[in-house]
Amino acid sequence: VSRAAKLQKLEESIANLDNQQSKAVIETVDDVQRIRGLAGSGKTIVLALKAAYLHSQNPEWNIAVTFHTRPLKGQFHQLINTFTIEQTGEEPNWEKLRIIHAWGAPGGGDREGIYYNFCKANELEYFDYSGAKRKFGRGNEFDGVCQQSLGSTVNDVHPMFDAILIDEAQDFPSSFLRLCYRILGSKKRL
């Protein structure tokens, strides 16, 4: 897909945003912000646009966009890339704006994840899905690993991000949201 086609697609997406969606993209709060809407109302697009907007306004920030469903990574990458080019005239600094899975695994690159990076940074035991299922039981895998990691850390966890944007946050256990909150800097932009 050409750059012009990407920009046209983005402009069409922005043109379809209503006032509340536009405000959610532009408004930056130093606290928890929740974007709600019905299925198909554009929440994922708003989140991607918000990530690109935050990055273009604060290029020094370390920003994470995280998700549960792996195929979303490509969609986020395309939307964020297109919007950032529109805002700044250049591609995002993918070292500062990272699109990473919630769980993650060793191996770097596309395998990177919030939970895995948290374990690595704090020298904690990491569980893959199979190990988590054995230890915490079916249906409790991710909640179990997040709770254990939070319980194993000392009080002074080194901040990893200035902002974390979570797609479909309602589908995650509260322990993961607490983990994300804990790895943010002094401003809790979640």
Side-chain angles (χ1 to χ4, degrees):
V1 178
S2 72
R3 181 177 171 194
K6 288 180 183 177
L7 287 173
Q8 181 179 355
K9 186 175 180 181
L10 176 67
E11 287 170 3
E12 290 168 3
S13 297
I14 293 171
N16 290 330
L17 296 180
D18 63 26
N19 288 337
Q20 289 182 329
Q21 289 172 319
S22 297
K23 182 180 176 189
V25 169
I26 295 169
E27 182 180 47
T28 302
V29 296
D30 292 337
D31 201 357
V32 175
Q33 182 181 23
R34 184 176 179 192
I35 299 170
R36 295 178 5 169
L38 297 172
S41 63
K43 296 180 301 293
T44 297
I45 290 173
V46 168
L47 189 73
L49 295 173
K50 184 169 191 69
Y53 181 80
L54 286 173
H55 179 61
S56 66
Q57 297 300 308
N58 307 282
E60 74 284 359
W61 284 7
N62 289 310
I63 300 169
V65 176
T66 191
F67 50 90
H68 187 5
T69 308
R70 289 193 188 274
L72 282 174
K73 184 170 186 165
Q75 181 183 8
F76 274 125
H77 189 276
Q78 181 180 1
L79 287 168
I80 291 168
N81 192 54
T82 302
F83 188 67
T84 303
I85 289 170
E86 183 180 82
Q87 291 292 306
T88 66
E90 51 192 50
E91 290 195 15
N93 175 351
W94 295 113
E95 300 279 320
K96 290 294 198 176
L97 176 56
R98 295 170 42 209
I99 304 170
I100 58 178
H101 192 261
W103 195 308
D110 284 345
R111 298 181 57 80
E112 181 179 33
I114 297 282
Y115 160 69
Y116 172 75
N117 290 358
F118 181 81
C119 290
K120 186 176 172 185
N122 292 285
E123 300 177 358
L124 300 173
E125 181 180 12
Y126 164 79
F127 289 89
D128 63 13
Y129 178 79
S130 297
K133 188 164 83 172
R134 281 191 301 278
K135 179 157 180 128
F136 302 107
R138 184 174 202 77
N140 297 315
E141 300 90 353
F142 198 48
D143 186 33
V145 298
C146 290
Q147 282 188 47
Q148 178 167 319
S149 296
L150 285 167
S152 300
T153 56
V154 292
N155 291 334
D156 59 340
V157 170
H158 181 71
M160 298 170 71
F161 296 102
D162 298 292
I164 300 174
L165 292 86
I166 305 171
D167 189 56
E168 302 290 353
Q170 76 279 357
D171 294 341
F172 287 103
S174 62
S175 57
F176 176 68
L177 304 178
R178 288 193 315 274
L179 189 148
C180 289
Y181 193 79
R182 188 120 183 244
I183 60 175
L184 287 165
S186 60
K187 308 286 186 185
K188 301 297 186 181
R189 299 179 194 102
L190 182 64

